[in-house]
Amino acid sequence: MVDGRPMTHWRVEPGGVISGQLPIPGDKSISHRAVILGALAEGVTTVKGLLESEDVLATITAFRQMGVSIEGPEAGSLTIHGVGLHGLTPPETALDMGNSGTAMRLLAGVLCGQNFKTTLVGDSSLMRRPMTRVAEPLGRMGARISTAEGGFPPVVIKPTNTLKAVDEQLAVASAQVKSAILLAGLYAEGITRVTEPAVTRNHTEKMLAGFGMEIDQRGLETELEPEGSLEPCDLVIPADLSSAAFFIVGAVISPGSDLLLEGVGINPTREGVITILRQMGASISILNQRLSGGEVLADLRVRSTPLKGVKIAKELVSLAIDEFPILAIAAALADGETEISGAEELRVKESDRLSAITTGLKAIGIQVEERPDGLLITGGPIRGGRVNSFGDHRIAMAFAIAALGAENLIEIENCANVTTSFPGFVGLAAHAGLRIRVVR
Ligand code: S3P
């Protein structure tokens, strides 16, 4: 067992074709925010298309522990009986955010505004992730927030009388940090302003506006003026582009593939993976583009094409921050070199992803140079082999997809964490054409 999950390995036979139409589960980032804002709104919020993964369930459980009545999730539907900004009640125990950095950091922002003490903990991966990045700015707002030595969880938040608005220049490009400050800003006096060093996903801003908050976004600057309460909403969550990305790359790299993915969120602050794959030569058509609840979604049609290596522009890193494990597989099968730089944030994700990708690529026969802030990957034949996912869901799924272009079997160790973001991955991948089998 690892973190309460049975040790799970995958065996993926080489080859296969990814074709047909696949249902991609709901967006993880938007699902967390729907639960959080629904809980803090005054009245009933309904959600459809929610991602029912462990990460999102951790957020739901935390709000239940603080007195919010939540029905579901059932088939992606959730009904949240919001208690208002000041209606949460003290939890009896620490709030366990599982594997989810998003849940821990966003909740830290909300909890700074409460009149009771809370402690945030997580699984072995989350307990090693940096929390100073939220504790410091929230502290400047007047929050009484502390971390364990080294800036790691547990995060302890004590009640305070008033939070004050800040004008914060973020040191790291992080939507989680930006969101934590904006959520604390709901409880602060005055206008909270956050300026980021690069564009990051803006789902919090979009959803706050949808719940009736005055929020102003200009370039890298976001301002929130908290007035009144959050008004409940009926939300429909788009399919997660970060989950879709595995099958998009799968279809691109396996000759003869033709894949259709419907209703995928393509918010411009998230679509770096499409831009990068197109630069590599991928054929991805964006069809039937529409708006839902402020978010842009579309149907994506993907056909197989040969890829070429590219130098990925630093400006694209924050727009594709979760997609580098699967982009590395595309790079491994591309003609020539792919260079990733300015991506040191990948070292503090669910695993050190620069290191995990390097170890994995080498294990399946690909030449790769690990750099402090990136990777240089030389495309070549994927021999196959045994890969450690380091308990990181996106590393596991990326190397499963690599088997589509491999000469031999790929075995992946330590895959149980895939339930944190994509519980049905193995079933859907097998249905799609991957020769994948779970081994315990
Ligand atoms: C997320 C933001 C990103 C991303 C994570 C989800 C979010 O993290 O990696 O999976 O929902 O806000 P950072 O903003 O810290 O880069």
Side-chain angles (χ1 to χ4, degrees):
M1 298 286 272
V2 183
D3 285 320
R5 301 179 192 94
M7 202 41 134
T8 303
H9 305 309
W10 295 344
R11 283 171 69 87
V12 198
E13 301 290 340
V17 170
I18 298 286
S19 280
Q21 189 183 326
L22 290 184
I24 300 295
D27 188 283
K28 179 150 73 79
S29 293
I30 301 178
S31 294
H32 280 297
R33 287 153 172 85
V35 176
I36 295 171
L37 295 189
L40 300 177
E42 302 233 334
V44 179
T45 286
T46 64
V47 186
K48 290 203 179 347
L50 184 95
L51 172 67
E52 295 184 39
S53 76
E54 276 181 24
D55 278 10
V56 177
L57 294 177
T59 296
I60 293 174
T61 303
F63 281 101
R64 284 192 174 131
Q65 284 178 264
M66 294 187 286
V68 182
S69 160
I70 302 176
E71 295 160 52
E74 217 190 292
S77 292
L78 198 69
T79 304
I80 309 164
H81 298 265
V83 294
L85 283 167
H86 301 282
L88 298 176
T89 54
E92 280 172 15
T93 56
L95 302 174
D96 185 350
M97 307 323 317
N99 190 245
S100 178
T102 306
M104 185 171 282
R105 297 193 179 113
L106 269 57
L107 258 77
V110 171
L111 296 171
C112 286
Q114 310 306 318
N115 61 2
F116 50 82
K117 181 184 165 187
T118 38
T119 302
L120 296 168
V121 295
D123 71 6
S124 59
S125 154
L126 185 53
M127 293 304 274
R128 291 191 304 266
R129 294 186 65 189
M131 293 299 146
T132 310
R133 53 179 62 200
V134 284
E136 276 184 1
L138 294 172
R140 283 192 279 279
M141 296 177 81
R144 295 169 64 210
I145 177 169
S146 61
T147 65
E149 216 180 296
F152 300 121
V155 176
V156 177
I157 300 164
K158 295 184 180 153
T160 177
N161 286 336
T162 46
L163 288 182
K164 53 182 187 296
V166 280
D167 182 351
E168 193 68 30
Q169 309 270 337
L170 297 189
V172 278
S174 165
Q176 295 178 355
V177 178
K178 173 177 63 174
S179 301
I181 297 168
L182 292 173
L183 290 168
L186 291 172
Y187 295 89
E189 281 168 17
I191 299 175
T192 294
R193 184 182 301 127
V194 187
T195 309
E196 30 183 11
V199 177
T200 66
R201 65 194 67 194
N202 62 3
H203 305 306
T204 303
E205 299 87 304
K206 289 209 168 289
M207 204 181 282
L208 277 169
F211 276 78
M213 271 293 144
E214 189 75 37
I215 189 147
D216 194 14
Q217 204 187 337
R218 266 170 284 110
L220 296 171
E221 203 177 279
T222 307
E223 276 185 6
L224 168 78
E225 183 162 17
E227 255 182 40
S229 53
L230 292 170
E231 296 154 16
C233 286
D234 294 316
L235 300 167
V236 181
I237 296 181
D240 196 326
L241 178 58
S242 298
S243 299
F246 297 103
F247 293 104
I248 293 174
V249 171
V252 171
I253 63 173
S254 45
S257 294
D258 189 349
L259 173 70
L260 182 68
L261 304 174
E262 288 187 332
V264 182
I266 53 160
N267 179 318
T269 64
R270 280 282 289 284
E271 63 169 0
V273 63
I274 297 177
T275 312
I276 295 166
L277 286 171
R278 280 178 164 170
Q279 288 171 353
M280 297 176 81
S283 161
I284 305 171
S285 311
I286 297 183
L287 311 168
N288 194 14
Q289 193 165 316
R290 56 229 189 241
L291 263 180
S292 168
E295 293 285 349
V296 191
L297 46 148
D299 305 334
L300 305 179
R301 183 169 179 201
V302 189
R303 276 162 284 193
S304 52
T305 33
L307 295 177
K308 59 178 190 299
V310 291
K311 189 172 159 72
I312 298 176
K314 285 187 184 176
E315 299 77 61
L316 290 173
V317 169
S318 60
L319 308 182
I321 192 69
D322 290 338
E323 284 68 71
F324 284 95
I326 190 62
L327 282 169
I329 301 305
L333 287 164
D335 187 21
E337 291 183 337
T338 294
E339 191 179 351
I340 301 166
S341 59
E344 55 277 6
E345 267 297 288
L346 296 180
R347 294 206 181 273
V348 291
K349 294 294 177 188
E350 287 83 327
S351 69
D352 174 343
R353 286 188 176 156
L354 293 179
S355 160
I357 291 169
T358 303
T359 314
L361 287 180
K362 284 184 175 162
I364 58 172
I366 294 295
Q367 202 183 313
V368 53
E369 181 188 319
E370 183 179 350
R371 296 172 172 174
D373 70 334
L375 300 170
L376 181 68
I377 300 167
T378 307
I382 292 184
R383 274 202 320 267
R386 204 176 172 88
V387 171
N388 187 348
S389 81
F390 297 94
D392 183 330
H393 54 135
R394 296 198 200 279
I395 299 290
M397 290 186 277
F399 281 93
I401 294 294
L404 288 163
E407 292 170 351
N408 295 295
L409 174 76
I410 295 186
E411 290 181 275
I412 307 152
E413 295 170 355
N414 200 358
C415 302
N417 264 7
V418 167
T419 48
T420 61
S421 73
F422 202 155
F425 175 78
V426 170
L428 196 60
H431 169 78
L434 216 71
R435 295 161 183 162
I436 184 167
R437 205 152 55 79
V438 177
V439 191
R440 287 192 207 278

